Amino acid sequence: MAELICDMVTDNSLLPLSVGVFGGWGVGKSSVLKLVESSLSSRDDTVVIEFDAWLYQGFDEAKAALMSVIASELLEKAPETLKGKAKDLVSRANKLRFLGLGTELGLAAMGVPTFGFISKMLNSAEDIYEGRGDESDVATLREGATAAKGKTDGLFKAKEIKTPPEEITAFKNEFSMMLDAMQKRLVVFVDNLDRCLPENAIKSLEAMRLFLSMPNTAFIIAADVDMIRHAVSVQFKGASDRHVLDYLDKLIQFPVTVPRLGLREVLSFLCMLIASRSNADEKKIEALRTYLIQQIQGSWKEDSKLEREEVVRILAADPVLASQIDTAFRIAPILTYSRSVSGNPRIIKRMMNVVRMRHATAKRRSMELDEAVITKLALFERCTDEAAFTALLDLVNAAPNGRPALFDSKQRDNIQIPEGFDKHKVFVTEWLELEPTLHEVDLRPAVYLARETLPLQIKSKSLSPEAKKAVAELLKVSSLTSKAAQTSISKIPAEEATEVMNELVNAMRQNSDWSHRRSDLNGPLLLAEQKLETASALDAFLEQIPNKAPWLQHLLKDR
């Protein structure tokens, strides 16, 4: 895609040109822009400029901001012989910026103090810029410029005051002459429109119209089509569906949609993520990148295949890195075809970040947990929902030694599938067969690592008001001799005691630091002593805590 866009914007016969790089959240629009920018920046005949619409939101009028950024960049990149012309362009852009801001923000933005005698001038400037002005407003602006002489640092001269349309025409003429003199084309990248409020997104797009009739100019715009169409419908009240749909078509000459990644692309992305975070030599990582690109570009050939052995060989991978590459090859198909991921690179990267974080935590806690195990559980979490993942955690907690029989293929036919898995039966079936199979792994430490995925609030909506109040109070018990805790426990309905303990355990899971004395354990301990039927749930949780600190060992010794 980047190569295609580069070919278009460097074809002078197509200029002026607007290219739209379209796609949803996280599909890689900004990455495509970076690839194009990297290629074009190395050319002597091209000036590349980045315009972040979101950065100027709320601080500048869109047209003036865009012209100011372009003029400033041209001044920086112009040869010494053209610095004078470039400075004139910057000056005219600043003048338009002032007119665009209108109110006292205009002078403040230019670093000029505001005074009462100039306020009338500011109001007239705003009227003129918005198209409401008349000859009297122009006259007022000229009078204000004369009055402000010496305070605006020569920005305005009374005799040179023009209406914004006249200023814009003059800017366009000077801009064209500047590019001709430099013998360069201008390519402007516009990103982060999706983050803008609808009004600013539309104003930024409208600002580009000023340049789309000018030679040697190309705009490359990254946007989520649905977000822009929403902005159009909000900005233009009462717009027909046809107007909303046609808006981008009239502005963008060449739409390019970032496609959903296929299996080979997802696998390549995973391999590069893993390699870049390893201790592999940088030259080997670059060699891997070259190999992966070749395999993607040659995917139309029958004999083209991305080989796991070749990836390992190129990286000269040690057993740990080789194991991680194995995991990538196993999970890539699910990440590609699962509806909750659909090959979205940002989602994949976030999931791998979670795996990395949990593996680091496991090492600090001296847990003997293979990264492949953590990855498999994170995959389940990403591709299902909260109900299914909670059912999985409950299954592990209830199983002897943290090894659910469901994970053993020899026993699976006789095991009832948890109700929480019902919506994801196809995925769960594939996931159970995915290596590692987990049936010989104590998964309680992995459940402990996943505690941050559980919601902080009380999960059970069926708890009575008395039980909910008891949960809140028992998490704040300051000591094991608290009378208030005894009172709270006595008010818990007998049939809800176990549910209250489950909520207390869920709350404690949110904090993984057991190195020092924690008060949120006092309430659960007192509840377990008074309501013996709740003790097993607390025992199961405490057993999962690895390398118990001395204070915790001492506390639990006689209980």
Side-chain angles (χ1 to χ4, degrees):
M1 287 189 64
E3 290 170 349
L4 171 66
I5 294 170
C6 286
D7 288 344
M8 286 193 291
V9 299
T10 54
D11 184 345
N12 291 334
S13 67
L14 294 177
L15 301 180
L17 174 70
S18 58
V19 179
V21 180
F22 297 150
W25 176 88
V27 301
K29 300 186 297 296
S30 296
S31 296
V32 171
L33 260 60
K34 288 178 182 177
L35 287 170
V36 175
E37 181 186 359
S38 175
S39 177
L40 294 180
S41 296
S42 63
R43 297 179 62 108
D44 294 332
D45 60 353
T46 305
V47 175
V48 174
I49 294 176
E50 296 179 60
F51 179 72
D52 188 332
W54 187 48
L55 184 64
Y56 293 93
Q57 179 170 278
F59 296 97
D60 261 324
E61 197 278 333
K63 289 192 289 292
L66 180 60
M67 285 186 281
S68 182
V69 168
I70 289 175
S72 298
E73 287 289 330
L74 287 179
L75 173 60
E76 181 180 332
K77 296 175 181 178
E80 286 301 321
T81 55
L82 294 175
K83 288 293 185 185
K85 288 182 179 295
K87 288 178 180 177
D88 290 341
L89 194 64
V90 170
S91 178
R92 195 171 296 280
N94 284 338
K95 192 186 298 185
L96 281 160
R97 184 179 174 206
F98 171 84
L99 293 174
L101 289 169
T103 63
E104 293 196 359
L105 286 174
L107 289 181
M110 309 314 302
V112 179
T114 55
F115 299 93
F117 67 80
I118 205 171
S119 60
K120 190 177 180 182
M121 168 192 173
L122 293 168
N123 291 330
S124 292
E126 184 173 12
D127 286 341
I128 293 170
Y129 196 81
E130 295 298 333
R132 302 188 300 267
D134 52 26
E135 287 301 319
S136 64
D137 285 307
V138 175
T140 300
L141 192 57
R142 287 173 178 156
E143 291 171 9
T146 301
K149 186 178 181 181
K151 298 182 176 63
T152 58
D153 194 26
L155 178 63
F156 291 108
K157 295 178 182 178
K159 294 181 180 180
E160 296 180 0
I161 294 294
K162 300 177 182 179
T163 63
E166 292 172 329
E167 290 289 351
I168 288 172
T169 298
F171 178 91
K172 291 172 70 173
N173 290 337
E174 290 181 10
F175 170 81
S176 295
M177 288 188 291
M178 184 74 188
L179 281 185
D180 284 341
M182 293 176 69
Q183 295 186 329
K184 294 179 183 290
R185 73 175 63 85
L186 176 74
V187 180
V188 182
F189 293 88
V190 181
D191 201 1
N192 284 332
L193 279 175
D194 303 345
R195 297 186 178 187
C196 293
L197 295 172
E199 179 182 7
N200 207 67
I202 297 304
K203 284 187 175 181
S204 296
L205 288 170
E206 292 290 335
M208 297 170 208
R209 292 183 186 274
L210 296 175
F211 296 89
L212 292 181
S213 61
M214 301 171 72
N216 300 329
T217 305
F219 277 80
I220 304 175
I221 303 155
D224 182 334
V225 173
D226 291 337
M227 291 290 290
I228 296 301
R229 286 175 178 164
H230 168 71
V232 173
S233 63
V234 171
Q235 184 66 11
F236 301 105
K237 302 294 184 183
S240 67
D241 291 343
R242 188 66 191 172
H243 176 75
V244 172
L245 292 173
D246 287 350
Y247 183 85
L248 270 181
D249 292 341
K250 293 177 179 178
L251 184 69
I252 303 299
Q253 295 163 303
F254 287 92
V256 183
T257 301
V258 181
R260 169 178 163 175
L261 297 191
L263 175 58
R264 194 171 302 208
E265 289 85 7
V266 169
L267 184 51
S268 297
F269 184 55
L270 282 171
C271 287
M272 283 304 301
L273 273 180
I274 292 168
S276 63
R277 294 172 175 179
S278 71
N279 294 322
D281 181 78
E282 288 186 13
K283 291 182 179 179
K284 289 183 170 60
I285 294 175
E286 284 307 309
L288 174 64
R289 188 194 307 276
T290 300
Y291 167 73
L292 295 173
I293 290 173
Q294 290 172 346
Q295 293 305 308
I296 290 172
Q297 292 177 333
S299 58
W300 57 274
K301 300 177 183 177
E302 272 189 41
D303 59 347
S304 175
K305 186 178 181 182
L306 209 164
E307 300 283 357
R308 175 261 179 202
E309 291 76 13
E310 185 64 9
V311 172
V312 172
R313 185 196 67 77
I314 291 172
L315 291 174
D318 59 24
V320 173
L321 182 54
S323 174
Q324 293 173 340
I325 296 298
D326 287 343
T327 300
F329 273 76
R330 287 195 294 266
I331 68 175
I334 293 180
L335 292 175
T336 304
Y337 304 119
S338 167
R339 293 178 62 184
S340 60
V341 180
S342 297
N344 185 297
R346 189 171 297 174
I347 293 176
I348 293 171
K349 191 171 184 179
R350 285 190 173 192
M351 193 196 85
M352 298 307 291
N353 285 342
V354 168
V355 171
R356 190 182 188 192
M357 176 188 69
R358 290 180 182 172
H359 188 239
T361 302
K363 290 172 67 176
R364 286 196 301 271
R365 299 285 187 270
S366 299
M367 295 177 177
E368 294 184 4
L369 264 182
D370 188 272
E371 190 169 356
V373 172
I374 298 173
T375 303
K376 184 169 181 176
L377 291 177
L379 185 66
F380 187 98
E381 181 180 2
R382 176 68 251 183
C383 296
T384 59
D385 55 22
E386 184 182 341
F389 191 59
T390 300
L392 177 66
L393 300 186
D394 291 342
L395 199 66
V396 172
N397 283 329
N401 300 319
R403 296 179 174 86
L406 181 64
F407 293 167
D408 188 345
S409 59
K410 296 178 181 178
Q411 303 182 53
R412 192 170 301 150
D413 293 339
N414 301 318
I415 303 297
Q416 183 176 359
I417 303 294
E419 186 178 337
F421 292 0
D422 286 349
K423 291 196 302 183
H424 309 279
K425 286 183 178 179
V426 174
F427 167 79
V428 172
T429 300
E430 294 178 357
W431 181 83
L432 287 170
E433 297 299 328
L434 190 68
E435 292 289 339
T437 57
L438 304 180
H439 72 278
E440 294 183 352
V441 180
D442 184 349
L443 292 174
R444 287 174 295 183
V447 169
Y448 173 80
L449 280 176
R451 70 204 163 282
E452 71 270 12
T453 64
L454 299 173
L456 282 168
Q457 70 273 19
I458 293 176
K459 294 194 302 175
S460 176
K461 296 180 180 178
S462 60
L463 285 181
S464 65
E466 294 81 9
K468 289 181 179 179
K469 184 178 180 181
V471 171
E473 291 175 346
L474 289 175
L475 287 172
K476 300 176 183 177
V477 175
S478 58
S479 73
L480 291 170
T481 59
S482 170
K483 292 183 179 180
Q486 306 291 344
T487 302
S488 295
I489 292 171
S490 67
K491 293 181 180 179
I492 298 174
E495 67 277 9
E496 293 185 282
T498 301
E499 271 301 309
V500 168
M501 179 61 82
N502 288 335
E503 296 299 338
L504 294 173
V505 167
N506 286 336
M508 287 190 293
R509 287 185 192 279
Q510 310 311 310
N511 184 357
S512 63
D513 186 3
W514 290 91
S515 61
H516 60 277
R517 186 74 166 83
R518 284 177 46 169
S519 60
D520 59 351
L521 181 58
N522 294 330
L525 286 173
L526 292 173
L527 177 60
E529 289 181 350
Q530 289 199 32
K531 306 280 187 178
L532 295 180
E533 69 274 20
T534 68
S536 59
L538 179 60
D539 288 343
F541 167 69
L542 294 175
E543 190 177 343
Q544 296 170 18
I545 300 175
N547 304 320
K548 296 180 179 61
W551 73 267
L552 185 57
Q553 295 180 26
H554 178 74
L555 181 65
L556 300 178
K557 184 177 180 181
D558 300 321
R559 291 183 178 274

